[in-house]
């Protein structure tokens, strides 16, 4: 007896009618936003070689990847991230293209998040990647403003964008001399704001300016005061430059009319290690976790042999769709305008007539019943107001 033929795997779910409409609505709006800003769509394979995600800054935990083998015994993974495959794509097929490149995507990603409650291992993600450009500051502002527009499009009064800089964390943790495993553990504890465990781990490196700064990192969020607080905890020339850069971007974004919706979080330490500069996360009121995240990644494509700066972000389409449903946006299925019934000997003609009606903009259903009475009862049960019979004559009946 089969045990699992009536359920979906953990971390996945079926979507029904209104849920599908909500997802498609989000996808359509994001596609419209991205394309109007000059971004062109690309699609990468759902299956990639494991090596694509195992470089120095693209080191995904193997236990989080869905893995299989191809016919030659090589390890294949289901795509856990969209930015890395696009970096591969740019470094190979688009390496001779004129820069900057503006690319957008709308595709599924897969990641085994067994430790997360209510996890979603299959997620539809839409986003942009801005590749190249002489002025990284201009590129950062373009992507940040597009991110804000994406959030505002779905809840203009209640969205929030948190801005940080991964360099702040990287500069501090580099001074510890920790190995990769410990560094990853510190990152995870900061990301989850697990203060007790973070303090215990950092105690093994002694009590000094760096460990004290790292202990405070999860608390460095809020408004403009965060920059002064961070500088008072620990600073050097590199960290001062990082704080000044982030503060400027925070102030410029706030000045565009988004004041109160932009905040600072220097504790943003993404599990993807390819970020090199600004990082940010976006939130909507009815979703408990971020629905948008991104940042600058200037070294990723060099791992594929193409040294080029880039910045981008991705949107969790499914999370945004759930948000829209919760705030009361309706995604109702369209009721057909009519049921078309073919009398005996006129079934094919009825289907042809139904097609003619659809070309005129109507939504129709072809009756699969044997009698007019059954067809009329079906129409009434579905709230369809009209029955059209096709025989020697074409008749319309209000039901």
């Amino acid at each position: 007896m089969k045990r699992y033929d009536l359920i979906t795997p953990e971390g996945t779910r079926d979507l029904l009618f209104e849920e599908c409409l909500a997802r498609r609505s989000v996808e359509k709006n994001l596609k419209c936003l991205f394309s109007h800003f000059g971004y062109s769509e690309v699609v990468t394979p759902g299956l990639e070689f494991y090596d694509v995600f195992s470089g120095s800054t693209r080191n995904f935990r193997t236990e989080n990847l869905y893995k299989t083998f191809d016919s030659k015994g090589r390890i294949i993974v289901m795509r856990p991230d969209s930015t890395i495959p696009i970096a591969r794509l740019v470094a190979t097929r688009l390496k001779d293209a004129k820069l900057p490149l503006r690319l957008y995507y709308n595709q599924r990603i897969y990641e085994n998040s067994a430790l997360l409650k209510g996890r979603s291992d299959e997620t539809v993600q839409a986003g942009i990647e801005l590749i190249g450009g002489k002025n990284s500051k201009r590129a950062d502002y373009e992507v940040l403003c597009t991110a804000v527009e994406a959030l505002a499009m779905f809840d203009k009064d209640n969205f929030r964008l948190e801005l940080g800089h991964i360099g702040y964390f990287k500069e501090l943790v580099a001074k510890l001399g920790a190995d990769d495993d410990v560094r990853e553990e510190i990152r995870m504890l900061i990301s989850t704001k697990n203060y007790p465990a973070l303090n215990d781990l950092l105690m093994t490196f002694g009590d000094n300016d760096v460990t004290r700064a790292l202990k405070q990192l999860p608390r460095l969020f809020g408004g403009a005061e965060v920059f002064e607080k961070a500088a008072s905890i620990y600073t050097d020339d590199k960290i001062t430059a990082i704080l000044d850069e982030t503060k400027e971007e925070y102030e410029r974004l706030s000045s565009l009319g988004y004041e109160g919706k932009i905040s600072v979080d220097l504790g943003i330490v993404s599990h993807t290690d390819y970020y090199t500069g600004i990082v940010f996360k976006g939130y909507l009121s009815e979703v408990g976790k971020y629905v948008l995240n991104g940042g600058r990644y200037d070294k990723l494509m060099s791992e594929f042999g193409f040294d080029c700066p880039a910045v981008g972000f991705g949107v969790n389409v499914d999370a945004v769709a759930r948000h829209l449903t919760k705030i009361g946006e309706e995604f109702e299925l369209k009721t057909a305008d009519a049921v078309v019934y073919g009398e005996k000997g006129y079934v094919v003609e009825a289907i042809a007539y139904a097609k003619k009606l659809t070309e005129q903009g109507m939504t129709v259903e072809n009756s699969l019943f044997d009698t007019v009475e059954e067809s009329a009862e079906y129409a009434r049960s579905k709230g369809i107001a009209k029955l059209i019979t096709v025989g020697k004559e074409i008749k319309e009946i209000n039901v």
Side-chain angles (χ1 to χ4, degrees):
M1 174 185 284
K2 293 182 180 180
R3 296 177 55 196
Y4 305 114
D5 59 343
L6 296 179
I7 59 175
T8 67
E10 293 181 7
T12 69
R13 67 191 185 100
D14 298 315
L15 295 186
L16 297 182
F17 317 114
E18 289 81 2
E19 293 172 307
C20 292
L21 291 176
R23 174 190 279 182
R24 297 305 180 210
S25 174
V26 175
E27 291 175 325
K28 179 181 177 181
N29 286 329
L30 288 173
K31 177 181 178 180
C32 184
L33 174 67
F34 299 156
S35 60
H36 283 173
F37 276 103
Y39 289 78
S40 300
E41 186 175 15
V42 293
V43 178
T44 64
L47 297 176
E48 295 268 5
F49 285 115
Y50 170 75
D51 292 350
V52 173
F53 300 97
S54 61
S56 61
T57 66
R58 42 197 164 100
N59 188 20
F60 279 72
R61 290 189 171 190
T62 57
E63 61 268 28
N64 291 348
L65 300 174
Y66 280 97
K67 299 176 287 292
T68 186
F69 297 91
D70 69 1
S71 60
K72 298 180 181 179
R74 295 171 294 190
I75 303 176
I76 300 291
V77 301
M78 297 179 72
R79 177 183 55 224
D81 174 270
S82 289
T83 297
I84 292 174
I86 289 176
R88 171 193 55 72
L89 172 68
V90 171
T92 52
R93 298 189 61 188
L94 295 175
K95 64 181 179 180
D96 296 323
K98 183 175 178 59
L99 299 178
L101 282 170
R102 289 179 170 85
L103 308 177
Y104 83 85
Y105 57 88
N106 179 51
Q107 56 194 28
R108 287 173 172 81
I109 58 173
Y110 302 87
E111 189 169 7
N112 187 352
S113 309
L115 297 179
L116 297 181
K117 184 178 180 182
R119 77 189 206 245
S120 180
D121 289 5
E122 179 187 41
T123 303
V124 174
Q125 187 182 68
I128 61 173
E129 310 293 351
L130 180 49
I131 315 294
K134 293 182 178 180
N135 191 311
S136 61
K137 187 70 68 178
R138 287 176 180 265
D140 285 352
Y141 283 132
E142 177 178 326
V143 169
L144 283 168
C145 288
T146 306
V148 170
E149 288 299 312
L151 292 169
M153 185 165 53
F154 300 116
D155 194 351
K156 65 179 181 179
D157 296 323
N158 296 301
F159 75 87
R160 187 174 85 256
L161 184 80
E162 294 182 349
L163 180 65
H165 196 299
I166 198 62
Y168 187 77
F169 166 73
K170 288 187 173 181
E171 285 295 324
L172 288 174
V173 80
K175 297 178 186 298
L176 288 181
D179 61 33
D180 290 343
D181 290 339
V182 174
R183 178 177 174 277
E184 171 59 19
E185 188 174 358
I186 292 172
R187 183 211 64 76
M188 182 185 68
L189 295 174
I190 291 174
S191 180
T192 58
K193 300 189 184 299
N194 188 336
Y195 303 111
L198 177 64
N199 291 341
D200 290 344
L201 177 57
L202 291 174
M203 281 179 60
T204 63
F205 292 91
D207 183 20
N208 53 64
D209 291 343
V210 174
T211 55
R212 285 194 290 271
L214 284 168
K215 288 178 183 178
Q216 290 296 314
L217 194 51
R219 297 181 173 87
L220 292 178
F221 62 90
E225 73 282 356
V226 170
F227 300 107
E228 184 176 346
K229 183 178 179 181
S232 69
I233 296 172
Y234 183 88
T235 191
D236 60 20
D237 290 344
K238 288 185 177 180
I239 286 181
T240 297
I242 288 168
L243 292 176
D244 288 346
E245 176 186 349
T246 311
K247 182 179 181 181
E248 179 186 355
E249 293 180 339
Y250 165 77
E251 291 175 343
R252 293 297 300 275
L253 275 181
S254 298
S255 71
L256 294 176
Y258 302 124
E259 189 173 2
K261 294 181 172 58
I262 312 296
S263 58
V264 183
D265 187 355
L266 295 179
I268 298 177
V269 285
S270 174
H271 77 280
T272 46
D273 200 34
Y274 50 70
Y275 290 124
T276 58
I278 61 160
V279 286
F280 50 92
K281 292 183 177 181
Y283 296 83
L284 297 175
S285 59
E286 295 300 322
V287 183
K289 58 177 291 185
Y290 62 85
V291 301
L292 178 154
N293 70 301
R296 171 159 289 280
Y297 53 99
D298 286 346
K299 302 299 180 182
L300 176 59
M301 272 176 290
S302 65
E303 295 187 27
F304 296 100
F306 183 67
D307 191 10
C308 185
V311 60
F313 68 82
V315 177
N316 185 327
V317 169
D318 295 319
V320 175
R322 289 194 295 272
H323 165 82
L324 294 178
T325 301
K326 287 182 179 179
I327 64 174
E329 187 159 336
E330 295 183 355
F331 300 95
E332 294 183 357
L333 293 172
K334 177 176 173 55
T335 302
D337 298 308
V339 172
V340 178
Y341 169 73
E343 296 178 355
K344 187 175 181 180
Y346 290 88
V347 173
V348 174
E349 287 79 2
I351 295 174
Y353 186 73
K355 179 177 181 296
K356 182 179 178 180
L357 294 177
T358 64
E359 292 171 349
Q360 296 172 4
M362 290 181 64
T363 299
V364 300
E365 289 191 27
N366 175 55
S367 173
L368 301 181
F369 297 94
D370 293 328
T371 67
V372 172
E373 291 76 18
E374 289 176 301
S375 299
E377 176 57 31
Y378 172 78
R380 281 192 292 271
S381 70
K382 295 288 294 285
I384 302 172
K386 186 180 296 184
L387 173 66
I388 301 174
T389 64
V390 177
K392 291 182 179 180
E393 297 179 355
I394 296 175
K395 301 177 181 179
E396 293 187 4
I397 304 171
N398 294 322
V399 297

